Amino acid sequence: MSPADDDGPSGVHCRLDELLEERDMTLTRLSELVGVSVVNLSILKNDRARAIRYSTLSAICRALDCEIGDLLVRADA
């Protein structure tokens, strides 16, 4: 199996839940700020996303005032 296969864990964990809680922000409010649907943010939050656009990643980090490394971490470490 190659690393680009779409089945199985990605080895990346999204800390969106933790960051939202730290900032007392809802997924709905984040959705309004970044222009991404709640459904798509939920997929990301639950580690079910297979890809994310750089522009989306940047917008989320801007809205949460965090770095990319605060949002995405290795799950296999």
Side-chain angles (χ1 to χ4, degrees):
M1 179 188 299
S2 78
D5 287 343
D6 279 343
D7 48 357
S10 66
V12 175
H13 169 64
C14 181
R15 296 187 61 249
L16 188 53
D17 242 359
E18 296 98 322
L19 294 172
L20 288 171
E21 187 174 328
E22 288 171 10
R23 286 150 179 80
D24 198 28
M25 186 184 296
T26 65
L27 204 59
T28 301
R29 180 62 182 140
L30 182 61
S31 171
E32 294 166 354
L33 291 172
V34 300
V36 175
S37 73
V38 172
V39 170
N40 283 339
L41 288 175
S42 181
I43 289 169
L44 182 63
K45 178 180 75 108
N46 292 311
D47 289 332
R48 293 194 327 263
R50 302 311 303 165
I52 183 169
R53 293 175 189 259
Y54 285 157
S55 58
T56 301
L57 191 55
S58 180
I60 291 170
C61 288
R62 237 186 339 271
L64 294 175
D65 190 27
C66 70
E67 296 296 322
I68 294 168
D70 298 327
L71 180 65
L72 300 175
V73 296
R74 283 182 46 195
D76 60 355

